[in-house]
Amino acid sequence: MNYSHWIKKAMKKKYKQKKESPTSSTITKKQISKQSMISIRELYKAQKWEQLIKIAKQTKGLFEEYDCIKVQKKVIKLGESVLINSGDAHDEDYIGTIKQIISIKEPTTLKLICLCRVQWYMRKSEVIKSHPKSNEWVSDQELFQTKHEDYILAQTVIHSCQIFTCKEFIDLDEIESTIYFNRLSWDMEKKQFQGLEKLQKFCSCQQPVNPDRKYVQCDSCHQWYHLECVGYQERELDDSDFFCKICL
Ligand SMILES: [Zn+2]
Ligand SMILES: [Zn+2]
C-alpha cells in the first residue's frame, strides 16, 4: 500500500483526547494499547471502518484529520466531489462528496490507513432499476444526491469531478465525461425521487427536460417537444416554422 500521496500537513485536531482518570495505572494503559493494536489490525482486515475509527480515537496519536488529499499529484479538498473506484466496471465508478478526511496509524507498523467519509450520489443506472420510466428523462450525466454516507479507503479515489445544476449543464458548450449535473435527491429507503413534482414538464408526454435528447420549439405557443414525440427527424430541422398539434 502506498500512502505517499498523503499531505503531511494535518488539520488542527478537532478531536480532543479524553483526560485519563487519575486511577489508571501504567499496566492498564499498556493493556489498552495492546488491545487496540490487535483490534486495529483485525478491523482493518475486515474493513470495519467505523469501529476502527472509534478505537483509534481512544488512543493518542492514532487518529488525525486532514483538509485535503493528493491523488496523482492533484490536491483534492474537503467538500469536493470525486470518482471512486467501484472495483470492476470503470464506467460505473461511484461518485460522492468528501465530507471528512482522516488517517489512522497502525500501532505496530506505524503505517497510515487513510479514509474519506463520503456522501453518495446515485447514477441513472441505479435509479432506473426502481423507476424504469425515468429512463426517458434522466440524463446519462445526471446524479441524484442521497443522505447516505460511508467511509472509503482514500486510495480508491480516482479524481475529482464537477457537478453542476441542470441549467448550468445545459448552458455548457462542451461536456466532458467528468462533468455531471444534479437536480433531484434520491431517497434510498423508499427508492424514490425527491422534488420530482416541482420540476417543469415539457412536450406532450409531460416529462422533465433530458439534456441528452433533442427538442423542437413550436413557433406559436413556444412549447418544447421531443423530436420523436412529434414524429420529426433531426435532418428535417431547418428554418421553417414548426407548429405543434394544439396550434395547427
Ligand atoms: Zn415527448
Ligand atoms: Zn404550439
Side-chain angles (χ1 to χ4, degrees), residues 27-235:
I27 295 163
T28 325
K29 267 192 267 174
K30 266 185 187 169
Q31 279 172 341
I32 289 169
S33 63
K34 202 176 180 184
Q35 266 177 3
S36 59
M37 274 184 209
I38 298 160
S39 323
I40 284 178
R41 226 175 303 147
E42 280 169 4
L43 291 170
Y44 175 67
K45 272 188 209 158
Q47 305 213 338
K48 291 187 173 171
W49 308 130
E50 292 191 21
Q51 285 161 271
L52 189 71
I53 290 162
K54 214 175 157 188
I55 287 185
K57 276 183 169 179
Q58 287 163 1
T59 316
K60 203 184 175 182
L62 293 191
F63 180 87
E64 202 104 47
E65 277 197 70
Y66 300 82
D67 59 2
C68 59
I69 52 169
K70 216 172 184 183
V71 179
Q72 290 175 355
K73 294 178 183 172
K74 282 190 179 153
V75 174
I76 299 175
K77 288 181 188 160
L78 259 183
E80 281 194 60
S81 297
V82 289
L83 225 64
I84 296 151
N85 199 330
S86 66
D88 21 55
H90 275 294
D91 52 331
E92 286 296 311
D93 282 323
Y94 305 133
I95 296 169
T97 304
I98 301 180
K99 308 297 271 188
Q100 191 186 25
I101 304 167
I102 56 167
S103 76
I104 292 161
K105 201 178 271 176
E106 224 266 33
T108 45
T109 59
L110 298 181
K111 266 191 179 176
L112 292 178
I113 300 160
C114 302
L115 300 170
C116 295
R117 180 162 56 85
V118 294
Q119 186 178 359
W120 296 113
Y121 280 99
M122 287 286 145
R123 281 175 181 269
K124 177 178 184 169
S125 57
E126 286 157 303
V127 300
I128 61 169
K129 281 181 207 159
S130 321
H131 293 267
K133 272 195 170 180
S134 67
N135 186 36
E136 303 259 309
W137 59 266
V138 175
S139 160
D140 291 339
Q141 296 305 105
E142 184 163 6
L143 301 174
F144 300 91
Q145 194 170 39
T146 75
K147 285 192 174 128
H148 194 76
E149 293 185 347
D150 279 313
Y151 284 97
I152 56 137
L153 279 169
Q155 71 218 34
T156 60
V157 171
I158 303 168
H159 55 68
S160 64
C161 60
Q162 285 174 288
I163 303 174
F164 291 97
T165 65
C166 186
K167 196 191 171 300
E168 286 168 341
F169 184 83
I170 289 169
D171 290 342
L172 290 173
D173 293 328
E174 262 181 72
I175 294 159
E176 292 165 41
S177 60
T178 55
I179 291 177
Y180 301 90
F181 76 90
N182 166 247
R183 59 180 159 180
L184 292 175
S185 297
W186 177 254
D187 186 321
M188 291 200 38
E189 279 74 40
K190 292 180 189 164
K191 294 188 191 303
Q192 272 174 11
F193 297 107
Q194 287 177 313
L196 180 56
E197 64 289 343
K198 287 179 196 157
L199 290 185
Q200 194 184 346
K201 311 292 190 296
F202 296 89
C203 188
S204 48
C205 64
Q206 285 296 290
Q207 287 178 350
V209 65
N210 181 348
D212 302 351
R213 295 178 69 179
K214 293 268 190 319
Y215 292 78
V216 58
Q217 191 179 33
C218 170
D219 284 294
S220 172
C221 66
H222 305 296
Q223 295 290 322
W224 290 93
Y225 292 88
H226 295 118
L227 293 192
E228 302 93 325
C229 292
V230 292
Y232 248 61
Q233 300 289 329
E234 201 175 332
R235 60 187 147 80

